[in-house]
Amino acid sequence: MLREHGELWDRMDEIATKLESGASAAEIVPVWKALEDGLEAHNDKEEKILYPAGDDLLTDDLGEEILETLANPDIPEGWTCEMSGRS
């Protein structure tokens, strides 16, 4: 799963780079399609495996902590997915 996160991150970086350089839609579409396909496959795994396991393990206190973190993220400058090509 972590490897897949890195691959998805890399596709998003590739799309951003292409957009910034003024690439044509024809140049961006294949990367977009790869991102879309990767997300679909990855989300399917998360829906079937990760989320049900989380439901079994998640306590009320941990749920509150997660919601607080999401509401007030403290993301370090330059943070990147550890499995992306940038790390």
Side-chain angles (χ1 to χ4, degrees), residues 1-64:
M1 296 292 280
L2 290 175
R3 179 187 50 79
E4 290 176 5
H5 284 180
E7 290 169 356
L8 295 168
W9 189 287
D10 291 342
R11 293 301 74 74
M12 290 185 286
D13 275 350
E14 190 175 353
I15 290 168
T17 299
K18 287 184 179 297
L19 288 168
E20 290 168 1
S21 71
S24 69
E27 294 173 284
I28 296 170
V29 166
V31 185
W32 181 264
K33 181 67 174 145
L35 175 62
E36 180 183 37
D37 292 347
L39 279 169
E40 186 175 316
H42 186 80
N43 285 339
D44 188 53
K45 290 178 191 171
E46 287 186 341
E47 291 285 342
K48 291 179 180 173
I49 300 167
L50 186 64
Y51 300 154
D55 289 342
D56 292 340
L57 300 172
L58 189 63
T59 64
D60 288 342
D61 288 342
L62 183 55
E64 289 178 27

